[in-house]
Amino acid sequence: MLTPFERMIAKRYLWPGKGEAFIALVAGISVGVVMLSVAMLVLVMSVMGGFRSEMLDKFAGLNGHAVIQAYGGELDDWERVLADVQATDGVINASPLIEQPLMGAFNGRSNVIFVRGNTNEDIASMSDKVIMGDMASVVPGRGKVAIGVQLATNLGIRVGDTITIINPQGRATPFGTSIRQVGYEVGAIFEIGLYDFDETFVIMPMSDAQTLLLLGDKIGLIEVTVTDPDNVGDILGGIEEQLTGRAVIADWKTINSTLFEALEVERVAMFFVLSFMVLVASFNILSSLVMLVRAKTRDIAIMRTMGASRRSLLKIFVTTGTTIGSLGTVAGLILGFVLLYFRNPIVNGIAAVTGVEIWDPQVRFLTTLPVRVDPWEIAGIVALGIGLSFLATLYPALKASNTDPVQVLRYE
């Protein structure tokens, strides 16, 4: 705690006098650099955290946190396996699933598609993703499907049109295998937010998918959602042993290992690089305090002769430097949150000025720039900014506290 005397002197040194404009300029630059570095850390870490979280949520919403995939694409006795998975501790939900790459065509146009056969419950849960049509119309036996918005754009399909799904694995005839071409009415158009999925996915009831793919009552996959995605391997370890030789379990880390590992490496590297900006700002604080100590050497000597202790001088200069760092950190947090709030207009504005598409959904997977503010990360950034500022004050503060008033005032 500061005494009234220490508080008064620290406040005075935060606003140098008229003849010390250069010291004030360096201190102002220090505040600005701390502000920008903290703002960039908040912006980059929140966007990258949002990217990872949004990607995980999108993938989990479509494939769960793990999928049980049968060898050969057909899982026998899947009802018993499903029951065992649902009874496993840590499993929130498990659903049967059919997924097969095929070809879709409309009005002379064609596109590679992924046909997904879902349960009625899973189809109904996608109602919030629908942008046109009604997901409630996609029910077994009605010959209706739901398609992604980019697929609809590529093929020029609207709700009510008929998309032809081509299955090369048809029925055997005396003249060879006939290719199956089945028309389905588009009952809904959805947008998941992942460009690749919106461009290829066709959702239909499971029974319709089994008929299209000639699977009988078999399925190919079971998607699993767990309570702790980071420990999905441990949660499903027992099930994996039971399915040895019949099926393999692939979790979200394995399926998208390259993407998520690259995100994690980039996230750590960006934090490390941007932290050097805070370090540079702390050196600015150090230099401004060193100049302040040299400019105030006579004042320091007089205060020492008047009874000010070395501890008091140490506290004064530590408080002055730490306050500069704290002001920059708080300003950086405000600036960072403002940039996060207006992130999409800023990106669109830069793209409009430069003519370069900064956020291309085909490259970034997501259609909008995501953000996720982690309170622990923010606390770490604040601690980094204030902590380095505090460390930068120690040398000039010790220099000031060790000032010998006899040597300074000998010729006064």
Side-chain angles (χ1 to χ4, degrees), residues 270-287:
M270 290 300 294
F271 181 83
F272 183 75
V273 171
L274 291 175
S275 297
F276 274 92
M277 292 181 62
V278 185
L279 185 61
V280 170
S282 67
F283 280 117
N284 285 340
I285 294 174
L286 186 150
S287 62

Side-chain angles (χ1 to χ4, degrees), residues 131-400:
I131 58 176
M132 284 181 282
D134 185 7
M135 193 64 82
S137 65
V138 183
V139 294
R142 294 188 60 181
K144 290 191 176 185
V145 297
I147 67 174
V149 61
Q150 290 300 325
L151 177 60
T153 301
N154 293 345
L155 296 181
I157 295 180
R158 297 174 295 180
V159 173
D161 291 338
T162 299
I163 180 173
T164 301
I165 298 180
I166 304 169
N167 180 13
Q169 186 178 358
R171 297 185 183 276
T173 69
F175 303 99
T177 302
S178 62
I179 296 178
R180 289 174 58 81
Q181 300 186 46
V182 182
Y184 294 91
E185 182 182 344
V186 176
I189 297 175
F190 59 84
E191 183 176 15
I192 296 173
L194 289 170
Y195 186 88
D196 287 356
F197 291 174
D198 289 335
E199 187 184 28
T200 58
F201 273 51
V202 175
I203 308 296
M204 65 174 57
M206 181 170 297
S207 59
D208 292 353
Q210 289 172 330
T211 301
L212 172 66
L213 299 173
L214 306 176
L215 293 177
D217 60 352
K218 298 178 182 179
I219 65 168
L221 305 167
I222 294 177
E223 60 176 355
V224 184
T225 305
V226 299
T227 54
D228 186 1
D230 290 323
N231 293 319
V232 61
D234 297 333
I235 295 174
L236 299 178
I239 296 296
E240 189 171 15
E241 293 179 359
Q242 298 177 21
L243 296 175
T244 301
R246 298 175 53 201
V248 62
I249 297 179
D251 59 30
W252 63 272
K253 298 178 183 178
T254 303
I255 298 173
N256 309 287
S257 59
T258 303
L259 175 62
F260 282 102
E261 286 176 7
L263 283 175
E264 192 62 29
V265 170
E266 186 176 359
R267 186 165 172 266
V268 173
M270 290 300 294
F271 181 83
F272 183 75
V273 171
L274 291 175
S275 297
F276 274 92
M277 292 181 62
V278 185
L279 185 61
V280 170
S282 67
F283 280 117
N284 285 340
I285 294 174
L286 186 150
S287 62
S288 65
L289 286 181
V290 168
M291 288 187 291
L292 182 63
V293 170
R294 291 181 64 86
K296 298 296 184 180
T297 300
R298 184 172 178 275
D299 294 354
I300 294 170
I302 293 174
M303 285 189 288
R304 292 280 286 119
T305 59
M306 294 177 63
S309 65
R310 292 183 175 181
R311 180 182 177 86
S312 291
L313 292 173
L314 184 69
K315 290 165 64 177
I316 288 170
F317 283 94
V318 167
T319 300
T320 302
T322 305
T323 301
I324 292 174
S326 300
L327 290 174
T329 301
V330 172
L333 287 178
I334 296 173
L335 177 61
F337 286 125
V338 169
L339 292 175
L340 287 176
Y341 184 80
F342 293 103
R343 63 191 184 280
N344 287 314
I346 291 173
V347 169
N348 295 334
I350 295 175
V353 172
T354 62
V356 178
E357 184 66 34
I358 298 177
W359 189 263
D360 187 352
Q362 299 185 50
V363 177
R364 306 293 184 179
F365 293 98
L366 301 177
T367 53
T368 58
L369 184 64
V371 63
R372 176 179 174 268
V373 178
D374 187 345
W376 290 107
E377 282 187 354
I378 299 300
I381 292 171
V382 171
L384 179 67
I386 297 178
L388 289 178
S389 300
F390 169 75
L391 292 176
T393 65
L394 294 182
Y395 172 74
L398 289 171
K399 189 75 173 176

Side-chain angles (χ1 to χ4, degrees), residues 31-53:
V31 173
V33 176
V34 172
M35 177 185 70
L36 291 176
S37 58
V38 169
M40 288 301 101
L41 273 172
V42 171
L43 178 64
V44 171
M45 299 307 294
S46 297
V47 169
M48 296 193 71
F51 193 84
R52 181 183 184 276
S53 178

